[in-house]
Amino acid sequence: KNYIQEHTRNQQLVLQHLLKKGSITSWEAIENYGATRLSAIIFNLRARGYDIIPSRLMAKIDMDKDVDMLNTY
């Protein structure tokens, strides 16, 4: 497969995942689909008209400081 075919395939897999589960992390994209550029895939899906909203998971650590743990889409 060439890059364009692989990228298109990954877009479809990520889109199906989002439609089924409602969110995806970079790690899920890598682990499940071998997709290492989730932000590029999300960018292209948005360009195709899909309304994908980012969210951040936060974790509390020492002294109640918020720390970004991971981006999800």
Side-chain angles (χ1 to χ4, degrees), residues 21-56:
K21 298 191 176 188
S23 66
I24 191 167
T25 65
S26 292
W27 181 248
E28 287 173 319
I30 292 167
E31 189 174 65
N32 295 325
Y33 314 115
T36 58
R37 300 187 63 223
L38 181 59
S39 60
I41 292 169
I42 298 299
F43 176 87
N44 289 326
L45 289 172
R46 286 180 176 146
R48 290 173 45 194
Y50 292 97
D51 187 21
I52 301 170
I53 301 167
S55 64
R56 291 191 187 270

Side-chain angles (χ1 to χ4, degrees), residues 6 8-18 24 32-34:
E6 186 67 23
T8 301
R9 179 184 151 282
N10 286 344
Q11 279 186 40
Q12 284 304 115
L13 292 170
V14 168
L15 179 59
Q16 289 171 2
H17 183 104
L18 285 168
I24 191 167
N32 295 325
Y33 314 115

